[in-house]
Amino acid sequence: MTSWTVTPERPDSPVALALWRAYYTEVSDRWYLLHEGRRTDPAELEREVAARTGAELAPPTGRLLIARYDGEPAGSAGVRLLDPATAELTRVFVREERRGRGGAPLLVAAAEDAARALGARRIVLDTRSDLVEARALYARLGYTETGPHNDDVYAEHWFRKELTLT
């Protein structure tokens, strides 16, 4: 029987880096294909991966979670505290070949649990208009679209969810 597991991981681990490279390749390619008709320049991708190390997702104020499908790394999600009561959900990703098997909702639920463990009472996130699957996922999981909570140049939609005690 195939199964998912979700466990904490160091942001600088080889598993995390491989998943982030896949994540950045996909979201960057989608943006460039939509806006400029080209894929991401490999050197640009490597600069982005190097610049965004994920250090903010390390304890004590953050957590990185890795989902494995039958033991193989298949997705990630991170949370970090923005303030003592607010966590940000970021880097939610499931490899294309593992999508549609329940991994994304499982990762988001685990990230919400991690945010609660950090003391957060609410969770926020941002995403882009072209990431329609992500926006549908968040809406399905009880996130409400809100006004901006950051000024990220690529953010076009912002969501929020109150975290209840479990």
Side-chain angles (χ1 to χ4, degrees), residues 53 101 103 132 144 152 165:
T53 64
R101 297 179 177 161
V132 294
T144 306
D152 185 307
L165 297 176

Side-chain angles (χ1 to χ4, degrees), residues 68-92:
R68 288 176 172 79
Y69 188 80
D70 283 347
E72 293 296 317
S76 67
V79 292
R80 67 180 180 136
L81 287 178
L82 298 179
D83 63 51
T86 308
E88 180 181 41
L89 177 63
T90 186
R91 300 191 192 203
V92 176

Side-chain angles (χ1 to χ4, degrees), residues 53-159:
T53 64
E56 71 280 6
L57 303 178
T61 58
R63 297 289 182 277
L64 172 65
L65 302 165
I66 299 296
R68 288 176 172 79
Y69 188 80
D70 283 347
E72 293 296 317
S76 67
V79 292
R80 67 180 180 136
L81 287 178
L82 298 179
D83 63 51
T86 308
E88 180 181 41
L89 177 63
T90 186
R91 300 191 192 203
V92 176
F93 173 72
V94 174
R95 290 187 180 277
E96 187 173 7
E97 65 273 13
R98 297 294 183 227
R99 291 181 189 154
R101 297 179 177 161
L106 187 68
L107 270 166
V108 172
E112 290 171 0
D113 288 343
R116 282 185 199 91
L118 292 170
R121 295 188 310 269
R122 76 190 61 81
I123 193 164
V124 297
L125 64 94
D126 67 69
T127 191
R128 299 189 325 230
S129 293
D130 63 306
L131 300 177
V132 294
E133 307 90 341
R135 291 186 5 244
L137 170 72
Y138 299 131
R140 191 169 67 250
L141 297 178
Y143 286 76
T144 306
E145 194 155 356
T146 65
H149 64 267
N150 64 24
D151 59 359
D152 185 307
V153 65
Y154 295 109
E156 297 170 308
H157 297 270
W158 296 264
F159 289 84

